Amino acid sequence: MSIKEIIKIPNPFLKVVAKPVIDIDENILSLLDDMLETMYDANGIGLAATQIAIDKRLIVMDCGEVDFETENLTEEEYNKKLKENGIKPSPIKMINPKLVSLGDKINEREEGCLSIPGYNANVKRPASLKVEYTDENKKNVTLNADGLLATCIQHEIDHLNGILFIDHISRLKREMILKKAIKEYSTD
């Protein structure tokens, strides 16, 4: 496995619409492993192939998983259990993900992006969804997701369609982030 370079705005490849994967071979499986390692190395929770300048409909993510029942816990109880038990890794590799349906309820959550490091904004997205994809074992999977995982899936599929999280915010805020980020990244 190897860590890949994550491209940053204003790289035009971030606006590319990725092509479907036709043949799930060893190269694709190895690329998914590299993407996961790259994402972990960058302290992210999701990464799309287009973010490493690869024109394939591939995403990886890991929103973690808790080992305890969360229902009926207060925020204070949840945080205490989280501190005691931690979050265990729960990586997901998606090949050719396709949103099947989106829930009616809308959530607003702060989002960031490995291709726009250091900048965040609140984004409104459906709180739940159903997605179909092929996994690394070449099995077709249908997944119902909500919360952070639903947000992450939508964010990463957006990348495959040439859309960034800043495309979901006001023009003024987007232009401010772009101006600052491009100036900052050009001095790197």
Side-chain angles (χ1 to χ4, degrees), residues 134-152:
T134 304
D135 71 11
E136 68 273 23
N137 299 309
K138 302 181 185 179
K139 291 193 171 34
N140 293 329
V141 177
T142 300
L143 174 68
N144 291 302
D146 59 11
L148 179 61
L149 182 58
T151 298
C152 188

Side-chain angles (χ1 to χ4, degrees), residues 5-118:
E5 180 184 351
I6 299 171
I7 60 176
K8 299 177 190 170
I9 60 169
N11 190 312
F13 203 92
L14 291 168
K15 291 298 186 177
V16 165
V17 176
K19 294 178 179 63
V21 173
I22 306 301
D23 184 26
I24 302 172
D25 58 14
E26 286 304 313
N27 290 332
I28 293 296
L29 298 177
S30 178
L31 178 57
L32 285 165
D33 289 339
D34 290 349
M35 288 172 61
L36 207 52
E37 185 177 357
T38 300
M39 179 196 77
Y40 287 138
D41 183 68
N43 294 317
I45 62 169
L47 185 71
T50 50
Q51 290 179 272
I52 56 170
I54 294 178
D55 187 12
K56 300 281 184 202
R57 295 192 76 78
L58 301 169
I59 59 177
V60 296
M61 64 197 74
D62 188 344
C63 294
E65 196 174 289
V66 294
D67 275 338
F68 54 88
E69 183 59 46
T70 61
E71 201 169 329
N72 299 323
L73 291 180
T74 66
E75 186 175 350
E76 185 177 316
E77 292 168 331
Y78 176 84
N79 288 334
K80 182 179 180 205
K81 282 205 173 268
L82 189 60
K83 190 173 185 179
E84 292 168 358
N85 299 301
I87 296 176
K88 69 178 188 173
S90 184
I92 299 172
K93 300 173 184 175
M94 294 185 178
I95 303 165
N96 297 327
K98 179 184 174 200
L99 290 174
V100 176
S101 63
L102 296 169
D104 294 330
K105 184 179 175 200
I106 301 296
N107 271 359
E108 185 171 19
R109 183 182 294 274
E110 185 177 62
E111 292 185 32
C113 182
L114 296 176
S115 292
I116 316 172

Side-chain angles (χ1 to χ4, degrees), residues 112-127:
C113 182
L114 296 176
S115 292
I116 316 172
Y119 296 89
N120 301 316
N122 288 332
V123 177
K124 292 180 182 178
R125 295 184 187 270

